[in-house]
Amino acid sequence: MGKSRTKRFKRPQFSPTGDCQTEEAAANGTEGEEDDGPAAELLEKLQHPSAEVRECACAGLARLVQQLPVLPGLARRDAVRQLGPLLLDPSLAVRETAAGALRNLSACGGFEVCDDMVTKDVMTPLVALLKECSAGLDSDELSPQEKKDQNRNSVESIANEAVNLLWNICECSSRAVSIFNKEGCLEIVLKYLSRFPTNVDLAISVAHCLQTVTEDNPELLKSFSSAALHVLESAMLSSVNSMEYLLLKTLVAGTIWNLKDIIPSKSQAEIINAVIKVLSEVLEMDAGEMVIHMKEAETQRLKSAAETEEILENANGHALVEDEEMEEIPHKGKVRRKTYVSDLLPPIDKELRQTIALLTAQQTALEIIVNMCCSEDPSDDEWEELSSSDESDAFMDNSFSDCCGQLLSPLCLSHEVHTALTNYLIPKKIFEKTAFPNSTAVDICSRNPTWKPLIRKMNTIQCRALVCLQSLVSLLDVDHLGGAPALQTLAQHLSQLLFSQPDFAKHADFLEAISSALRALLQTMASKNISQCMTPDQLMTFCKAGAYSSSIGVRVNVVSILGIIGSVLAKEDGTLEILKTIGRFLIEIATKDPSLIVAGEALDALFDAFADGKEAERASVQIKLLCALKEFQPVFKMKIRKEGRGKYSPDQLCVLDNVKMNLRRFITYQETVEKRLTS
């Protein structure tokens, strides 16, 4: 039903201390249970006069919102209004843990909880906290207590929690983004970002937030000064090669892409090349090998640490050594270590952190490329092709933060983007990422609980690469993709991916991603008369499996693929039987699928497959296509009239109206065909 468009990716929310388990609770049938006991006790302790008690209560809530389906209970008890004021608590430790609790609540609660947070005015203390942290970065004067605790509860640590909370809320609430704009939060977070040489974790949090708030936010773009752009430029061009810095550079590259409309024209080519160069460097890395290497490094480090600890224990005779973090419990004479929020959260070893950073960077890079390829401007076909400037690494020589002049229309970016994507071999690198994750890496992760979540991240990268491949196949010229042989190789590769997984129909994300890529590829090959490597039987096997998927996107892709196959086969001899199979299948989908979108796409596919060709005409008569369409026409009209306005958007209704009109015309055409062949 018209040109297929790839969905733009939004930044994902994440839980900073582990995956939220509300879905698991729902699966176990415990979601509706009301167990407010722990929550009520912890919320009561938030008002305790002791800072340590308040800190522990916040830390307990930070864990509770992830481990139990307590969100409804917390909402009933107005947890947000109780935690919000603690963002400005006199104790730095309480500020940090309160921000952490709200951060986890926002990550686990999703859109509804985040919007409720804005309604309950969490942004007021949050913005005040961000401003105080910003002022604190300029102050060298710390109280004795602050000096004692600065390693654990420094201003930067509090700022990191606060920025992550800000990011989560802005991701879910347009009202929060509006407050971000009006309260001058941009200047604050850019100040945090400028500390990337000494605090990359804080810089990464800011970069996540900036990539979110700069998307589709023209009001904020007006606030970017030359100094602000220079901060972004400096971070993206950092020469540090750690995985954390690679993630930082990727996120900043995404932010700079969001700012493309305000970049002066004479800097456009350099900016595009610099952004895509960063993405290229990220995608160059082999994530599977990184997993294997880092897990080996972790194993060796832990082994060495255990051996060292054993030597020290033997040397000290297992003596208990007290240090400045030990304290005596009154009346018991025992010694315990002080409890900080970080002690209550799952530890993440440095090797695991670096691996997660790389996987996150690769997923982000792929999403940025998809968004580059997805213009929301209606005049896609009218993009001007300007001559591309030479590829340049001398980004600093013509810094966009120092330039001024006429801005270049986004419509003129097309040729520059195409050229840079090709120059940096982006299609080839994305092709490589569409393969299944390294089996050795998957096996290693599956045997280690803390590493097991990485399997899902690796699978997500594969799915993002397939969606990215769809975008590139639709956007770039065949020559930029390597010509006809490269497309045939790609078709064979996608076929192998599909049929090497006997249960592919059970993996919804994979099925939607690969069906989207296959649809775009087959459409391009058909339009260029490139012969296809997949047999009709293979494609029918795939389509029959996908046609009954719970995903509307998969079903739409499947019927579209059938229309593409049919339109190609209709021009060939000896294809009568397969065309009849395709026709019957599409009729069944059009008349029985509960979604009008899928039904409309199935009708569109029938129009494509049986619009021309002697074999198509014979097949249409033999399967009684005309009779089926005449019978379905009033049903389709009635469904649009009854269901349309309640279920579908104005754009979707417009497309469905076009299908309805084309159905009437196609029936007239089929009447002519049947009359000619039966007379």
Side-chain angles (χ1 to χ4, degrees):
M1 297 195 309
K3 182 179 178 182
S4 172
R5 302 185 71 86
T6 309
K7 185 190 299 181
R8 289 172 59 90
F9 284 109
K10 296 285 187 180
R11 302 276 62 74
Q13 295 178 75
F14 78 105
S15 170
T17 58
D19 292 334
C20 302
Q21 299 178 14
T22 51
E23 290 183 6
E24 181 180 344
N28 294 332
T30 61
E31 186 179 24
E33 297 178 7
E34 294 187 10
D35 182 11
D36 290 352
E41 183 180 351
L42 290 170
L43 289 171
E44 184 178 347
K45 289 181 178 179
L46 294 179
Q47 311 304 322
H48 198 279
S50 168
E52 285 194 2
V53 173
R54 297 198 301 276
E55 178 190 1
C56 288
C58 290
L61 287 169
R63 290 177 62 85
L64 191 65
V65 296
Q66 300 176 89
Q67 297 173 353
L68 295 170
V70 297
L71 297 182
L74 290 173
R76 283 194 302 273
R77 296 180 179 274
D78 219 4
V80 173
R81 290 194 190 277
Q82 296 187 57
L83 282 166
L86 296 184
L87 293 174
L88 300 174
D89 193 275
S91 166
L92 293 179
V94 174
R95 290 186 181 196
E96 182 178 358
T97 50
L102 286 166
R103 171 187 180 184
N104 283 8
L105 182 61
S106 65
C108 295
F111 288 91
E112 185 176 341
V113 168
C114 287
D115 198 57
D116 184 59
M117 284 182 164
V118 178
T119 299
K120 292 179 177 176
D121 200 27
V122 78
M123 291 294 288
T124 296
L126 177 57
V127 171
L129 176 61
L130 290 166
K131 291 179 178 178
E132 286 197 17
C133 289
S134 177
L137 295 179
D138 295 328
S139 175
D140 294 326
E141 298 180 3
L142 295 176
S143 69
Q145 182 61 39
E146 288 172 337
K147 288 181 179 178
K148 181 178 178 181
D149 290 341
Q150 63 182 346
N151 290 334
R152 294 275 186 168
N153 301 306
S154 68
V155 172
E156 291 185 356
S157 296
I158 299 171
N160 190 34
E161 294 293 339
V163 169
N164 275 284
L165 172 59
L166 179 67
W167 167 34
N168 287 348
I169 297 176
C170 288
E171 180 70 45
C172 298
S173 171
S174 59
R175 290 187 295 158
V177 174
S178 179
I179 294 170
F180 183 100
N181 295 346
K182 293 176 182 177
E183 292 293 332
C185 293
L186 176 63
E187 183 179 351
I188 298 170
V189 297
L190 284 172
K191 184 175 181 179
Y192 298 158
L193 179 62
S194 67
R195 303 181 78 84
F196 71 88
T198 57
N199 193 333
V200 68
D201 290 336
L202 176 58
I204 287 172
S205 299
V206 171
H208 273 297
C209 186
L210 282 174
Q211 196 182 10
T212 293
V213 297
T214 55
E215 188 168 10
D216 302 324
N217 189 355
E219 181 183 347
L220 183 64
L221 300 194
K222 301 173 186 176
S223 303
F224 275 87
S225 62
S226 294
L229 295 172
H230 184 72
V231 172
L232 295 175
E233 178 185 341
S234 299
M236 190 174 74
L237 296 177
S238 170
S239 59
V240 182
N241 292 322
S242 73
M243 297 303 103
E244 289 91 345
Y245 275 89
L246 202 60
L247 173 57
L248 172 63
K249 291 161 67 174
T250 305
L251 292 166
V252 174
T255 299
I256 290 175
W257 175 256
N258 290 342
L259 302 178
K260 60 186 178 297
D261 291 352
I262 66 169
I263 296 172
S265 58
K266 66 177 183 178
S267 298
Q268 290 267 348
E270 287 82 3
I271 303 318
I272 292 170
N273 273 292
V275 167
I276 295 180
K277 182 183 178 184
V278 169
L279 306 183
S280 176
E281 290 173 353
V282 172
L283 296 176
E284 187 75 38
M285 304 285 292
D286 188 325
E289 290 298 323
M290 176 63 71
V291 169
I292 297 169
H293 172 73
M294 286 297 177
K295 190 65 186 73
E296 289 175 351
E298 180 193 66
T299 302
Q300 186 59 45
R301 177 178 58 79
L302 294 176
K303 180 181 177 182
S304 299
E307 291 173 352
T308 302
E309 184 176 353
E310 183 178 355
I311 292 171
L312 290 174
E313 286 182 352
N314 292 334
N316 295 329
H318 302 283
L320 180 63
V321 180
E322 297 186 17
D323 59 31
E324 62 179 3
E325 291 187 351
M326 296 293 185
E327 66 179 4
E328 185 176 331
I329 301 178
H331 311 302
K332 295 186 178 180
K334 295 182 180 179
V335 175
R336 66 176 175 85
R337 187 174 297 274
K338 284 187 180 178
T339 300
Y340 295 96
V341 62
S342 56
D343 297 325
L344 301 176
L345 302 179
I348 299 181
D349 292 331
K350 61 180 181 180
E351 295 86 2
L352 181 56
R353 283 173 57 88
Q354 291 183 50
T355 308
I356 291 174
L358 174 61
L359 294 174
T360 305
Q362 291 196 338
Q363 178 180 333
T364 302
L366 292 166
E367 292 171 358
I368 292 170
I369 293 171
V370 170
N371 290 348
M372 283 181 169
C373 298
C374 296
S375 169
E376 295 179 344
D377 193 286
S379 54
D380 286 341
D381 297 331
E382 299 173 4
W383 279 33
E384 297 177 33
E385 289 199 359
L386 300 184
S387 58
S388 174
S389 301
D390 293 336
E391 178 184 331
S392 172
D393 293 338
F395 189 35
M396 292 292 288
D397 293 342
N398 192 18
S399 167
F400 66 83
S401 60
D402 297 327
C403 294
C404 59
Q406 184 180 2
L407 301 184
L408 188 62
S409 165
L411 298 182
C412 302
L413 293 175
S414 177
H415 188 70
E416 301 289 355
V417 172
H418 295 193
T419 302
L421 289 171
T422 306
N423 287 345
Y424 284 107
L425 303 177
I426 294 295
K428 177 178 180 294
K429 293 173 183 177
I430 290 172
F431 174 85
E432 293 168 353
K433 298 300 177 190
T434 62
F436 287 112
N438 184 306
S439 58
T440 303
V442 171
D443 182 61
I444 288 172
C445 292
S446 66
R447 290 187 276 108
N448 295 271
T450 57
W451 288 69
K452 194 170 184 179
L454 270 59
I455 298 175
R456 183 172 183 179
K457 290 182 178 294
M458 288 187 282
N459 288 331
T460 298
I461 288 173
Q462 182 196 27
C463 290
R464 292 292 190 269
L466 286 166
V467 175
C468 207
L469 187 65
Q470 173 207 352
S471 299
L472 291 180
V473 168
S474 302
L475 178 73
L476 298 179
D477 294 334
V478 172
D479 291 341
H480 287 164
L481 295 169
L487 294 187
Q488 291 174 325
T489 300
L490 180 56
Q492 189 64 37
H493 170 68
L494 295 180
S495 174
Q496 290 171 352
L497 286 179
L498 265 175
F499 298 108
S500 64
Q501 294 280 91
D503 59 345
F504 66 83
K506 297 179 182 178
H507 303 285
D509 291 343
F510 171 74
L511 188 57
E512 181 159 6
I514 198 167
S515 63
S516 297
L518 191 58
R519 174 183 179 179
L521 177 62
L522 293 177
Q523 182 64 61
T524 297
M525 294 177 75
S527 66
K528 302 296 181 182
N529 295 319
I530 300 172
S531 59
Q532 300 172 11
C533 300
M534 295 178 71
T535 67
D537 288 340
Q538 282 181 320
L539 288 167
M540 283 302 302
T541 299
F542 162 59
C543 290
K544 286 179 179 178
Y548 302 104
S549 167
S550 59
S551 166
I552 290 179
V554 171
R555 303 203 303 273
V556 165
N557 287 334
V558 160
V559 295
S560 177
I561 287 170
L562 286 174
I564 296 167
I565 299 168
S567 66
V568 173
L569 295 177
K571 300 178 179 65
E572 300 176 1
D573 295 330
T575 57
L576 177 64
E577 292 305 318
I578 187 65
L579 281 171
K580 287 163 63 177
T581 301
I582 290 173
R584 292 191 186 102
F585 192 72
L586 288 174
I587 290 172
E588 181 180 358
I589 298 299
T591 56
K592 295 183 179 180
D593 196 287
S595 168
L596 275 175
I597 301 300
V598 179
E601 191 72 46
L603 289 172
D604 234 11
L606 282 167
F607 305 158
D608 291 339
F610 295 93
D612 191 23
K614 292 182 179 180
E615 295 288 65
E617 290 180 351
R618 291 174 57 202
S620 67
V621 172
Q622 292 183 26
I623 65 174
K624 299 181 180 180
L625 178 59
L626 177 61
C627 179
L629 293 179
K630 279 186 172 181
E631 185 177 331
F632 181 61
Q633 186 180 29
V635 177
F636 188 62
K637 287 181 178 179
M638 181 190 67
K639 281 187 173 183
I640 292 176
R641 187 170 59 253
K642 287 188 174 181
E643 302 175 17
R645 296 191 182 280
K647 287 186 176 181
Y648 304 101
S649 69
D651 287 344
Q652 290 173 324
L653 287 174
C654 181
V655 173
L656 288 170
D657 283 338
N658 285 335
V659 173
K660 182 175 65 175
M661 181 175 62
N662 289 337
L663 175 59
R664 184 177 69 249
R665 294 172 177 172
F666 188 74
I667 287 174
T668 301
Y669 165 71
Q670 282 294 314
E671 287 173 340
T672 304
V673 170
E674 188 165 306
K675 186 176 182 180
R676 174 161 45 83
L677 292 182
T678 56
S679 60

